[in-house]
Amino acid sequence: MTMQIADSVSLSAPDAKARARARAHAAAAQDNLRTEPRAVRITIIALAIIFLSVFVVLPLVVVFAQAFSKGILAYLSALAEPEALAAIKLTLIVAAISVGLNLVFGLVAAWAIAKFDFPGKTFLVTLIDLPFSVSPVISGLVFVLLFGAQGYFGSWLRDHDIQILFAVPGIALATTFVTFPFVARALIPLMQEQGTQEEEAAVSLGASGLQTFFRVTLPNIKWGVLYGVLLCNARAMGEFGAVSVVSGHIRGETNTMPLLVEILYNEYQFVAAFAIASLLAMLALITLIAKTVLERHLDEGHDASDH
Amino acid sequence: MTIEVKNLVKKFGSFAALDGVDLKVDNGELLALLGPSGSGKTTLLRIIAGLDWPDSGEVTFNGEDALAQGARERHVGFVFQHYALFRHMTVFENVAFGLRVQPRAVRKDEAAIRARVKELLDLVQLDWLADRYPSQLSGGQRQRIALARALAIEPRILLLDEPFGALDAKVRKELRRWLRSLHHEINVTSIFVTHDQEEALEVANRVVVMDKGRIEQIGSPDDVYESPASAFVHGFIGESIELPIQVEAGVIRLGDRPLRLAADGLAPGASKLFVRRHDMLVGPPGSGAFEGAVQHVRNFGPVQRAEVALSGGETVEIDAPRDKELRAGDTIGLEPRRYRIFAG
């Protein structure tokens, strides 16, 4: 107390003024840091909203508006066309195959990368991202080069009467390739964060490898798995480029939904095109909602692991 | 169960985590592996558990080759430093895990499993937490659940990695005492790893001091404290004063100052002299082997700790009884009641 009094008494007048000025200055600077002027704030927020409206909301609305432009009956009958039904069915089959395969591959790859050290690990991680960095058209072309009539395995496949290109296997392969990173990418950081201690504990308590996986590892990563599967599925159903190259566009046979949308659109069948497109748009919306829910669960998982 | 480790070597790249370790653990012992981080103590524990594999050497349990078995077959209870409780299972299911994963032929029925888990939760005095999840427990509770889980499989050996490392000081002290009495009760051969000398000396019946992948000393807590076998052990255990000295022609020198200490049987050359802080007795100037000026004095529980600048050029901290009058600026004589000299 006495110290404080002595301090303020010994302060000379100009000194005190300078200090007050400095304080005011600092406060003003801090104010600027914390809050932009009102006008700037409003402009920035408005810009963001306008951008989102024009580039995201508007197209979505247009898709549904076009789909229903001739009434709900026209919409439903467009979806009931055999060609449309075949495309929906093919899309579901292809998605089921590629999601199933990528679930297994993704789990194995993430497990190997997160839980073990081995030479070439960094290279493998890079390789997993390859489908993301390569144009889907090239991904499709690779399969044409491999399995096409002039491709490396072309003559062998023809001799054994196996149809890969322009058929379900080719479409499934191309889709699987393009969507490979999703499950692995969702799981690698999660599994790396969780480490191997719980697995070690399980083994030391007498659990076999399978018991450890199903009782300890899988429950710990289940939300991550669902998250990866969800994104993988959305991309698998929506994939255009790679599938377009390998499909051959055989109507009613090898057209997936995105391919059919393009064909119908080019034939000026707008209602039919947008009706199929609306299904894909709905898939996107459902994916978005499910993703938000899953992310909440994933966050909880992270919190719980914060011992 | 006796454990025998022979000439164990484990390298991580060029770093030797274990550099030829031999150790014998008797049945029913409570043994501490004590050393600084990087001394190889955790690696040794993990190899005994089967969670790591040595590059060479032997591990036997009761004379049987343990390295021929995986962690799953060894029947070793392991308590992890951060507990590694299964976060998606309740406390009850955590403890029951080892019983539930047994092969069907030997698995207990549900009622027997429940009874056994109840018994274990009673043993660790946490039966009221059975329905909680690990994230809802305190550190000390998690630790005890991890122990109950390890004990559920009736392990032949119990291994604990820094069992109290992540706990605050008070809980740590309680758990130490509790672990010792628990060991007394279940009497299973146990090894725990610690970097805390107090913990090792208080809990274990035998202490293994490790440094740089080698065992420096094995002995009772009294042995390692009272008769350290090496400079490292003396410096690591207990509060020690370490002085660089020269032995020449039967005289010990600190810097340029000859010390009034017997140099019988010492090899000439540079050596290190170790004295416990409380073994430095304070006397009038000129009375002891050393002389120095008191720099400051702090009261410190039952003792006062004085920083003394020795003539010969080293500053040391000593502990003296509170009733001894010491003031900054005093010149005092210091006589080591007990000391040891290690070459090097």
Side-chain angles (χ1 to χ4, degrees):
Chain A
M1 200 61 198
T2 44
M3 279 294 289
Q4 246 176 5
I5 292 167
D7 193 47
S8 62
V9 166
S10 73
L11 217 66
S12 61
D15 210 331
K17 255 189 208 159
R19 266 201 205 177
R21 242 197 332 268
R23 250 201 308 274
H25 212 81
Q30 228 170 34
D31 225 37
N32 277 340
L33 271 181
R34 239 183 253 141
T35 59
E36 303 292 339
R38 214 180 149 71
V40 176
R41 253 184 297 159
I42 290 171
T43 315
I44 290 175
I45 294 171
L47 270 176
I49 290 175
I50 291 168
F51 189 86
L52 268 176
S53 311
V54 172
F55 284 89
V56 180
V57 180
L58 192 65
L60 213 57
V61 172
V62 168
V63 167
F64 285 98
Q66 284 287 338
F68 289 102
S69 61
K70 298 250 165 65
I72 192 151
L73 278 178
Y75 175 82
L76 289 177
S77 67
L79 289 184
E81 285 286 319
E83 237 182 90
L85 289 177
I88 293 170
K89 191 177 151 205
L90 178 63
T91 304
L92 291 176
I93 291 172
V94 167
I97 294 171
S98 51
V99 168
L101 286 176
N102 279 336
L103 177 61
V104 176
F105 291 158
L107 269 172
V108 171
W111 179 283
I113 286 164
K115 311 267 173 177
F116 303 112
D117 273 319
F118 53 89
K121 187 163 139 172
T122 334
F123 182 64
L124 186 62
V125 174
T126 316
L127 216 57
I128 285 176
D129 279 339
L130 184 73
F132 275 173
S133 52
V134 127
S135 160
V137 176
I138 295 170
S139 313
L141 272 176
V142 170
F143 290 100
V144 174
L145 288 176
L146 285 177
F147 304 123
Q150 265 71 51
Y152 289 107
F153 305 112
S155 52
W156 187 88
L157 289 171
R158 202 174 43 239
D159 293 347
H160 291 79
D161 210 17
I162 301 171
Q163 184 75 27
I164 289 189
L165 229 49
F166 315 131
V168 176
I171 299 172
L173 272 176
T175 308
T176 305
F177 177 81
V178 171
T179 56
F180 177 69
F182 285 103
V183 177
R185 274 277 143 214
L187 292 183
I188 289 169
L190 189 65
M191 289 172 95
Q192 270 173 340
E193 183 194 301
Q194 292 181 344
T196 50
Q197 285 227 315
E198 285 186 43
E199 278 86 6
E200 285 183 345
V203 171
S204 81
L205 289 167
S208 66
L210 279 180
Q211 281 173 324
T212 304
F213 180 76
F214 283 108
R215 286 170 185 253
V216 176
T217 309
L218 201 55
N220 274 338
I221 59 170
K222 63 178 179 229
W223 296 115
V225 171
L226 280 177
Y227 185 83
V229 162
L230 181 80
L231 294 186
C232 182
N233 179 60
R235 177 70 192 268
M237 289 190 172
E239 177 55 28
F240 180 85
V243 172
S244 178
V245 176
V246 297
S247 124
H249 306 278
I250 305 166
R251 302 195 78 143
E253 276 183 44
T254 63
N255 276 333
T256 60
M257 286 161 73
L259 298 185
L260 187 63
V261 171
E262 199 213 14
I263 290 171
L264 292 173
Y265 182 83
N266 286 341
E267 293 174 349
Y268 305 104
Q269 302 189 42
F270 294 128
V271 170
F274 282 102
I276 307 277
S278 75
L279 292 183
L280 288 170
M282 263 188 288
L283 169 75
L285 289 176
I286 293 167
T287 302
L288 213 61
I289 293 165
K291 181 169 165 277
T292 314
V293 173
L294 284 179
E295 272 167 358
R296 201 164 301 155
H297 275 291
L298 274 172
D299 282 348
E300 271 167 28
H302 286 289
D303 289 346
S305 70
D306 253 2
H307 288 299
Chain B
M1 177 79 42
T2 60
I3 307 168
E4 202 170 350
V5 167
K6 273 189 205 146
N7 199 19
L8 217 53
V9 175
K10 171 76 179 174
K11 290 198 165 75
F12 293 108
S14 60
F15 172 73
L18 293 177
D19 193 7
V21 166
D22 295 279
L23 178 64
K24 225 181 145 175
V25 187
D26 292 331
N27 190 28
E29 257 197 301
L30 178 53
L31 187 89
L33 295 179
L34 173 66
S37 57
S39 59
K41 53 196 194 306
T42 296
T43 305
L44 177 56
L45 199 72
R46 287 174 60 86
I47 289 175
I48 294 173
L51 298 173
D52 247 324
W53 299 89
D55 297 333
S56 63
E58 278 176 43
V59 179
T60 55
F61 294 168
N62 273 354
E64 280 171 44
D65 182 13
L67 294 177
Q69 299 176 316
R72 191 185 169 205
E73 292 85 37
R74 283 194 208 177
H75 239 79
V76 167
F78 199 98
V79 177
F80 292 82
Q81 185 177 1
H82 299 290
Y83 324 125
L85 293 176
F86 305 127
R87 67 195 96 183
H88 63 284
M89 293 182 202
T90 61
V91 163
F92 185 94
E93 286 305 320
N94 262 283
V95 178
F97 186 88
L99 303 172
R100 292 203 194 283
V101 296
Q102 282 183 330
R104 196 157 292 150
V106 294
R107 196 188 305 157
K108 293 186 165 91
D109 64 25
E110 184 62 24
I113 290 178
R114 296 205 153 261
R116 173 80 180 132
V117 173
K118 172 87 174 58
E119 189 186 316
L120 284 159
L121 289 177
D122 283 341
L123 180 72
V124 299
Q125 299 149 15
L126 290 175
D127 51 318
W128 50 286
L129 288 177
D131 296 328
R132 302 273 186 91
Y133 284 88
S135 59
Q136 298 168 304
L137 308 184
S138 73
Q141 290 167 343
R142 285 180 197 164
Q143 176 62 271
R144 285 190 277 166
I145 296 302
L147 196 56
R149 181 178 70 175
L151 291 175
I153 57 169
E154 287 168 42
R156 304 189 290 175
I157 299 163
L158 186 61
L159 304 174
L160 306 102
D161 186 9
E162 296 274 5
F164 315 112
L167 302 171
D168 59 55
K170 188 166 166 284
V171 180
R172 188 187 274 239
K173 286 210 162 141
E174 282 169 21
L175 272 183
R176 265 189 220 164
R177 226 167 298 138
W178 177 79
L179 177 66
R180 207 175 37 193
S181 64
L182 182 79
H183 178 261
H184 196 74
E185 205 172 315
I186 58 177
N187 207 33
V188 55
T189 309
S190 307
I191 305 178
F192 73 99
V193 155
T194 179
H195 62 271
D196 181 339
Q197 41 159 314
E198 208 182 307
E199 206 161 281
L201 300 184
E202 191 183 321
V203 179
N205 4 80
R206 243 175 8 131
V207 177
V208 176
V209 186
M210 293 185 69
D211 183 41
K212 296 188 184 123
R214 291 173 175 279
I215 291 179
E216 291 275 329
Q217 187 171 5
I218 305 177
S220 70
D222 283 349
D223 281 345
V224 294
Y225 186 83
E226 300 294 343
S227 350
S230 68
F232 172 81
V233 177
H234 206 308
F236 189 70
I237 295 177
E239 308 260 28
S240 297
I241 297 165
E242 184 182 332
L243 292 170
I245 54 166
Q246 286 286 335
V247 181
E248 269 165 36
V251 181
I252 301 177
R253 288 173 186 279
L254 174 66
D256 51 4
R257 189 187 139 92
L259 302 176
R260 282 188 293 262
L261 292 173
D264 307 338
L266 291 178
S271 291
K272 282 200 173 109
L273 183 145
F274 284 87
V275 191
R276 301 273 181 222
R277 278 179 183 168
H278 59 264
D279 281 338
M280 276 292 204
L281 302 182
V282 177
S287 68
F290 301 93
E291 199 167 270
V294 178
Q295 307 285 307
H296 5 213
V297 182
R298 274 173 300 141
N299 284 322
F300 213 71
V303 297
Q304 51 184 339
R305 181 159 298 170
E307 203 177 295
V308 181
L310 298 180
S311 35
E314 285 287 322
T315 302
V316 298
E317 282 191 330
I318 62 159
D319 288 345
R322 288 281 280 265
D323 52 10
K324 199 99 195 165
E325 285 224 356
L326 275 178
R327 267 184 309 270
D330 287 355
T331 302
I332 54 171
L334 287 172
E335 176 67 16
R337 175 165 44 186
R338 273 185 310 178
Y339 63 91
R340 295 178 86 87
I341 291 171
F342 295 102

